[in-house]
Structures are given as structure tokens and as C-alpha cells.
Amino acid sequence: MNFSSFSERIQADMEVALERACDALPKEFHSHEVRRHVASEIMKVAQLGQTTLPRLSYAGEKALKELCRERGIHLKQIA
């Protein structure tokens, strides 16, 4: 399943979840690799049918926190 196989509403929620998660990342650590990783984790939960914005946002935040913990990056507060 790819991104375009989801409804427009779910796609929009996935994009919001990705932006919310990545907004907590200090600008100097923004990269395509990080965004791709977070987006991949959001996509995984959506493929399992967990498509509410809170669940997608949680998956994105969790993925970012785990990646940053591995790399020793301190996150800003996630809104």
C-alpha cells in the first residue's frame, strides 16, 4: 500500500502528523532521512487501520523520539 492509496482525508492527517512531529526537531537536524523515517512509521500504523489524527500523530512523535534518543538529539516540546 502506498500513500496515494489512502483517502484524501487520511493523507491530509498523515501530513499533519508528520509536520507536528518534525516541528519538535531542532532546525539543524532537519533532513530528508529523518522525515522519511517518521513518515514510514506513520504509514505503518495507517496500513494497520489506525488512521485517526491522534494515532498518526502519536506514531510520528514516537518514531522521532526513538530516532533522536539513538542520536543524542534533544527535542523541543511537542505541541
Side-chain angles (χ1 to χ4, degrees):
M1 188 177 288
N2 61 31
F3 182 75
S4 62
S5 65
F6 293 101
S7 72
E8 288 183 19
R9 179 75 230 149
I10 294 171
Q11 288 179 32
D13 285 348
M14 291 168 73
E15 289 176 12
V16 168
L18 176 62
E19 291 307 316
R20 284 182 179 175
C22 290
D23 279 350
L25 189 63
K27 297 290 184 205
E28 63 268 20
F29 296 107
H30 279 224
S31 71
H32 181 69
E33 173 193 4
V34 170
R35 290 181 65 82
R36 185 176 56 236
H37 173 74
V38 174
S40 173
E41 295 302 309
I42 291 170
M43 178 90 73
K44 285 179 186 176
V45 300
Q47 288 172 335
L48 294 172
Q50 300 175 13
T51 57
T52 64
L53 181 55
R55 182 60 186 107
L56 296 169
S57 295
Y58 176 78
E61 293 167 10
K62 182 179 175 194
L64 185 64
K65 286 177 183 177
E66 289 172 357
L67 184 65
C68 289
R69 189 173 21 254
E70 291 171 8
R71 296 180 180 191
I73 300 170
H74 179 71
L75 291 173
K76 297 183 279 182
Q77 185 68 24
I78 297 176

